[in-house]
Amino acid sequence: MSTGQPTARPPDATSTTGPAIEAHGLRKAYGKVTVLDGVDLRVETGNVFSLLGPNGAGKTTTVRILATLTAADAGRARVAGHDVTADRGRVRRAISLTGQFAAVDEKQTGEENLRMMARLSGLSRAASRRRAAELLERFDLATAGRRLALTYSGGMRRRLDLAAGLVGDPQVVFLDEPTTGLDPRSRQELWQVVRDLADRGTTVFLTTQYLEEADRLADRVAVMDAGRMVAEGTAAQLKAQVGGHRLDVVFTDRAAYARHEQRAVHRSPESLTLGLPTDGTALEVRALLDDLDPERRDVSRFSLHTTTLDDVFLSLTRTRAASRQEPTHV
């Protein structure tokens, strides 16, 4: 795929200088089940924005509303400067959506898939051939362009699927867990695709359950849980919320482990290891160890690590899960 200088998008009547995506108070329920409960978000033009959350948090529903595939029960949203309800057609012309599974025609070649999408987008036969050739080259598929998509690896199919979505040069690309099921090499290849898109000025809205993916790619990260946004900021800002560093402490027995389990952001009961947030300074680490083991008999060893987005994710979602289990009275 291309790693050269980004090419500027041609002037477009639908382009906007404001945020690429903004939403206020989005709500959605299916029967008595609330899926979104007042979601607000803002994504600046040209940024990579990553939305994290456990299964059932509302990530895919958010994407479907922003991509005009599902109507919100309440709230409002604009994508590429257009209202997702009043201007659905303009929104759809400005976006691309790639889901968890590659949607390519396996009985056609890679080139035929792209030429078909270009024709459906209104390009002439000659323009479709040129666009297909350009995208095959850009996504490192030129040598496989004449092969049936049936013969492609999982990573190649995902790249072809994403290339098909870029035929119309969209302003905003939605990627809903695009690396699900891919091997590490294929994931790395897709990450490079996302970087190339951002370098070209395209706004990317990425949902993922791979925390490393968000950490490496996103300008800003949001964590969603139970239909609500529970945190948002840069990866560094979110990590700072749980201490910036993590002290992994190995306890001598299960009783000592259990006494401190609730305060941990990382748990490994098999190895009797708990990870606790800290600022990483020697003063605080000493104080934390003294607090955990004042008699010097419960801790066998410890190690200090930089906080990861996994720690942020587990800390935020575990806290909310615990609060939901507590009885409430109205």
Side-chain angles (χ1 to χ4, degrees), residues 85-108:
T85 301
D87 299 317
R88 293 174 63 193
R90 290 184 176 181
V91 171
R92 290 181 177 183
R93 286 192 292 273
I95 69 172
S96 169
L97 171 61
T98 298
Q100 298 178 25
F101 305 101
V104 299
D105 187 342
E106 295 183 339
K107 296 183 179 180
Q108 293 194 94

Side-chain angles (χ1 to χ4, degrees), residues 214-216 218-221 233-240 308-309 312:
D215 206 355
R216 289 197 181 191
D219 298 293
R220 294 188 72 79
V221 178
T234 66
Q237 288 169 340
L238 294 184
K239 291 174 188 177
T308 67
L309 279 183
V312 175

